[in-house]
């Protein structure tokens, strides 16, 4: 069994830095850790927004994961990775016409409707396609998940339809032609480390499902309770207690399933499944002392991994980082910077690391979620880093590092000598 360090070293040796390195065994373990903490009546949908690499999705799919997608590209990746349309839910606050048409053509398990306008648009496209389209209504509840640093529900957001409004008007949604409303969807927050909070959130959503189905005397066939299960990034955080999670969730969902045996229960998860399976590796390019602080300048920074620099967080704290090249017994405090001409390009502030030299490889753990897909990879035209999967003792390049040629090829050079002047 290789340690994560030897896996990262192998990947970096083969493909250089900056690179994201994924530990395939850890990914599979995390997925089953979640699945095993839920009863069989719950299906886990992997959220591609968290990390959409086709090889990672394929590995998860081969272990049984379904997929949640938020764009037509994520939909195509899910299909390429082996997902069937019946194991795809499609959501997001701005679905373009061509995206909706593709989802309708495929017949995904549910298009999750985020507004009343969208319901009518889907109805119109369904009519044109000569189909009855399966949809779920996303509700923004009057309940907010405790312990989530990013809340998508329980407060004003661009997601879903307000609970009171939705409950009052659900009868009119049920009358919209060419769509079949198969259930409800709620996604309230992310990175929740408290099992009780996920439980209370799920319980509230199941209650909402019951309330609406009883009020309108309708039998639904799905409920998507979101999820938001988190991972610890900082020393003061404690990992989600999976045993407590299991002891709360198993009876909750099992009781619901006894009452509604034909309702597919969906939990969405991204961070919990892939977060701890990913590492971000950079090489130290130069070290210098500036105004009394020692700066370690690396070949990948916030352009590759904005989450580690605290993008979206009020309090900036360091993700765990280690120097995997150094054997030094001594530690020193460093400011770890990236390659950008921006003073904010710092991925480790006052970071204690083993004594570091130029050429050393530094690794940030907990990097599998919201890494490249939520980073400004094109800043300074450095491009996106390579991505490498180490699985069953093999090193697989799963995304090529951008090159000057690949970045420039996307730009269109105007030949001004041929411009036609419009009157
Ligand atoms: C609707 C929806 N589903 C799933 C996710 C994935 O969340 P997580 O990474 O917390 O599992 C998100 C994250 O924002 C989301 O908005």
């Amino acid at each position: 069994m290789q340690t994560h360090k030897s896996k990262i070293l192998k990947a970096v040796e083969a493909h250089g830095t900056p690179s994201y390195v994924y530990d395939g065994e850890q990914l599979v373990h995390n997925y089953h850790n979640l699945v095993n903490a839920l009863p069989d009546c719950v299906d886990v949908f992997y959220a591609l927004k968290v990390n959409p690499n086709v090889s990672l999705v394929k590995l998860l799919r081969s272990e049984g994961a379904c997929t949640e997608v938020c764009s037509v590209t994520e939909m195509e990746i899910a299909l390429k990775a082996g997902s069937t349309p019946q194991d795809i839910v499609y959501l997001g606050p701005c679905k373009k016409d061509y995206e909706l048409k593709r989802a309708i053509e495929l017949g995904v398990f549910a298009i999750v409707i985020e507004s009343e306008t969208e319901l009518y648009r889907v109805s119109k496209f369904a009519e044109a396609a000569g189909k009855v389209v399966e949809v779920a209504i996303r509700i923004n509840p009057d309940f907010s998940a405790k312990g989530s640093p990013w809340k998508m529900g329980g407060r004003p957001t661009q997601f879903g339809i307000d609970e009171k409004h939705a409950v009052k008007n659900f009868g009119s949604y049920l009358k919209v032609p060419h769509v079949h409303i198969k259930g409800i969807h709620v996604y309230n927050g992310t990175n929740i480390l408290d099992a009780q909070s996920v439980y209370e959130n799920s319980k509230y959503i199941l209650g909402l499902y019951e309330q609406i189905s009883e009020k309108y005397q309708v039998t639904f066939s799905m409920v998507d309770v979101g999820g938001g299960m988190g991972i610890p990034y900082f020393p003061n955080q404690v990992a989600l207690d999976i045993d407590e999670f299991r002891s709360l969730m198993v009876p909750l969902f099992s009781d619901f399933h006894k009452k509604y045996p034909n309702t597919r229960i969906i939990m969405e998860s991204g961070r919990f499944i892939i977060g701890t399976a990913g590492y971000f590796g950079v090489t130290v390019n130069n070290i210098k002392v500036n105004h009394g602080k020692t700066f370690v300048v690396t070949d990948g920074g916030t352009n590759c991994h904005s989450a580690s620099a605290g993008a979206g967080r009020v309090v900036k704290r360091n993700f765990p980082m280690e120097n995997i090249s150094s054997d030094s017994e001594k530690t020193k405090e460093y400011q770890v910077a990236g390659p950008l001409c921006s003073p904010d390009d710092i991925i480790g502030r006052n970071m204690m690391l083993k004594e570091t030299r130029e050429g050393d490889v530094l690794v940030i753990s907990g990097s599998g979620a919201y890494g490249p897909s939520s980073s400004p990879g094109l800043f300074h035209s450095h491009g996106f880093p390579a991505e490498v999967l180490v699985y069953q003792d093999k090193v697989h390049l799963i995304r090529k590092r951008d090159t000057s040629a690949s970045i420039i090829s996307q730009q269109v050079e105007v030949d001004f000598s041929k411009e036609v002047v419009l009157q």
Side-chain angles (χ1 to χ4, degrees):
M1 186 69 171
Q2 296 179 69
T3 62
H4 76 273
K5 212 165 169 173
S6 72
K7 289 182 181 180
I8 298 163
L9 279 169
K10 264 192 186 172
V12 165
E13 239 172 65
H15 297 289
T17 59
S19 290
Y20 276 88
V21 181
Y22 305 100
D23 178 338
E25 277 79 15
Q26 186 68 47
L27 180 61
V28 169
H29 167 84
N30 291 349
Y31 170 70
H32 288 294
N33 200 19
L34 178 58
V35 169
N36 293 336
L38 293 165
D40 288 346
C41 57
V42 179
D43 283 341
V44 172
F45 279 58
Y46 172 68
L48 266 76
K49 64 176 75 59
V50 175
N51 192 321
N53 187 281
V54 67
S55 295
L56 301 174
V57 183
K58 191 172 173 181
L59 182 53
L60 286 170
R61 179 67 188 162
S62 71
E63 296 295 317
C66 303
T67 48
E68 177 262 298
V69 303
C70 286
S71 68
V72 78
T73 307
E74 288 187 354
M75 212 179 296
E76 301 300 348
I77 295 170
L79 291 173
K80 197 167 177 210
S83 192
T84 60
Q86 278 303 293
D87 284 337
I88 295 177
V89 291
Y90 171 40
L91 54 92
C94 175
K95 303 183 189 75
K96 279 92 119 194
D97 289 356
Y98 64 90
E99 296 186 300
L100 283 173
K101 285 178 186 166
R102 178 69 175 139
I104 291 170
E105 176 189 50
L106 286 171
V108 297
F109 183 69
I111 297 178
V112 177
I113 299 293
E114 304 255 2
S115 69
E116 289 173 354
T117 317
E118 191 173 82
L119 183 60
Y120 293 110
R121 274 174 71 220
V122 172
S123 166
K124 196 178 78 185
F125 292 141
E127 183 180 17
K131 288 188 172 180
V132 173
V133 171
E134 301 289 330
V135 303
I137 301 292
R138 180 167 182 175
I139 295 177
N140 182 346
D142 297 336
F143 172 89
S144 152
K146 280 194 211 86
S148 167
W150 291 283
K151 293 192 194 331
M152 288 75 177
R155 67 181 185 92
T157 63
Q158 63 272 50
F159 310 114
I161 303 174
D162 273 1
E163 177 180 328
K164 282 195 189 62
H165 185 86
V167 172
K168 189 162 160 232
N169 294 289
F170 218 94
S172 67
Y173 307 158
L174 291 166
K175 291 192 192 115
V176 175
H178 315 294
V179 291
H180 171 241
I181 298 177
K182 69 194 314 179
I184 64 164
H185 170 285
V186 177
Y187 189 89
N188 250 349
T190 183
N191 210 27
I192 303 168
L193 291 168
D194 177 19
Q196 185 72 31
S197 168
V198 182
Y199 165 78
E200 277 161 18
N201 186 49
S202 307
K203 193 170 164 205
Y204 188 90
I205 299 159
L206 298 180
L208 195 52
Y209 171 105
E210 284 204 274
Q211 187 194 340
I212 297 171
S213 63
E214 276 167 20
K215 180 166 177 178
Y216 294 100
Q217 290 298 296
V218 55
T219 318
F220 291 130
S221 56
M222 80 164 258
V223 60
D224 185 333
V225 299
M229 291 69 72
I231 59 166
Y233 291 99
F234 312 117
N236 62 337
Q237 292 182 320
V238 179
L240 182 80
D241 182 336
I242 201 73
D243 294 327
E244 184 191 358
F245 180 86
R246 185 185 303 105
S247 69
L248 292 166
M249 303 312 263
V250 170
L252 176 72
F253 289 132
S254 303
D255 289 351
F256 180 86
H257 179 64
K258 265 187 218 131
K259 203 161 171 199
Y260 301 99
N262 298 319
T263 299
R264 188 178 193 182
I265 307 170
I266 295 175
M267 276 204 108
E268 296 173 15
S269 176
R271 193 191 301 273
F272 184 85
I273 294 175
I274 205 162
T276 57
Y279 300 86
F280 177 57
V282 291
T283 301
V284 177
N285 177 282
N286 67 84
I287 302 177
K288 64 182 164 207
V289 177
N290 202 310
H291 283 265
K293 297 258 182 197
T294 306
F295 282 79
V296 165
V297 183
T298 70
D299 59 4
T302 52
N303 53 324
C304 304
H305 198 346
S306 67
S308 69
R313 268 186 277 125
V314 179
V315 183
K316 313 278 184 221
R317 281 180 292 185
N318 296 321
F319 273 32
M321 185 187 289
E322 63 179 313
N323 181 333
I324 61 166
S325 309
S326 175
D327 293 327
S328 174
E329 298 287 308
K330 284 197 221 146
T331 56
K332 251 184 99 172
E333 187 182 286
Y334 297 104
Q335 313 304 314
V336 184
L340 305 179
C341 301
S342 157
D344 287 339
D345 187 21
I346 300 289
I347 48 175
R349 288 169 206 277
N350 306 325
M351 192 90 216
M352 293 307 292
L353 293 174
K354 283 186 196 160
E355 201 165 35
T356 296
R357 293 151 307 172
E358 292 177 0
D360 283 357
V361 174
L362 308 184
V363 168
I364 300 181
S365 47
S367 296
Y370 305 100
S373 63
S374 62
S375 298
L378 290 178
F379 201 17
H380 287 33
S381 298
H382 284 297
F384 284 91
E387 292 181 69
V388 185
L389 169 65
V390 186
Y391 185 52
Q392 292 176 338
D393 288 332
K394 291 204 180 72
V395 175
H396 306 272
L397 179 67
I398 58 170
R399 190 185 192 284
K400 295 177 198 158
R401 178 175 297 107
D402 281 356
T403 61
S404 302
S406 70
I407 295 169
I408 295 169
S409 72
Q410 286 297 100
Q411 300 186 3
V412 179
E413 185 185 359
V414 175
D415 182 349
F416 291 103
S417 68
K418 291 194 180 145
E419 278 293 89
V420 177
V421 179
L422 296 174
Q423 294 295 325

